Amino acid sequence: MTTQPIHSDPQVIPRTQNAVAAALPAAQRMEFYREVGEATPETIGGLLTNWWLHVQVAGNPQTARTAAAVKAGTAPGHSASTVMRELRERGR
């Protein structure tokens, strides 16, 4: 048996406060609004990008599964810290 690629175009969510808020479940939306309300001009861009990435990942089933596997430590491969440590040990 072979696997077939899934051809689904993930919904592109504009990187705006209203679009991100609308894409979040109610429980996370309140946290988003709280963080936005506490953001400074220096931090608002990074905060919006982080939440936008969150909704982009959550909106794509394959990406969401991969993210969950990374968080659980069950994703294939090695962590970046492991790779960097191995490179240092090899003298690179």
Side-chain angles (χ1 to χ4, degrees), residues 1 5 11-12 17 23-24 26 29 38 40 43 49 56-57 62 65 67 72 87:
M1 177 184 348
Q11 180 182 358
V12 177
Q17 291 179 24
L24 289 168
R29 191 174 306 126
E38 295 175 354
T40 65
T43 63
T49 297
Q56 291 294 108
V57 168
Q62 179 59 44
R65 284 191 293 274
L87 288 173

Side-chain angles (χ1 to χ4, degrees), residues 18-77:
N18 288 341
V20 170
L24 289 168
Q28 290 180 333
R29 191 174 306 126
M30 292 309 298
E31 178 66 14
F32 170 74
Y33 282 136
R34 185 191 64 73
E35 289 185 19
V36 166
E38 295 175 354
T40 65
E42 296 79 25
T43 63
I44 190 72
L47 178 117
L48 184 58
T49 297
N50 287 342
W51 279 100
W52 178 79
L53 288 170
H54 174 78
V55 297
Q56 291 294 108
V57 168
N60 182 317
Q62 179 59 44
T63 306
R65 284 191 293 274
T66 301
V70 168
K71 284 183 181 179
T74 59

Side-chain angles (χ1 to χ4, degrees), residues 3-21:
T3 60
Q4 298 298 318
I6 298 173
H7 296 287
S8 63
D9 294 327
Q11 180 182 358
V12 177
I13 299 167
R15 199 178 309 193
T16 65
Q17 291 179 24
N18 288 341
V20 170

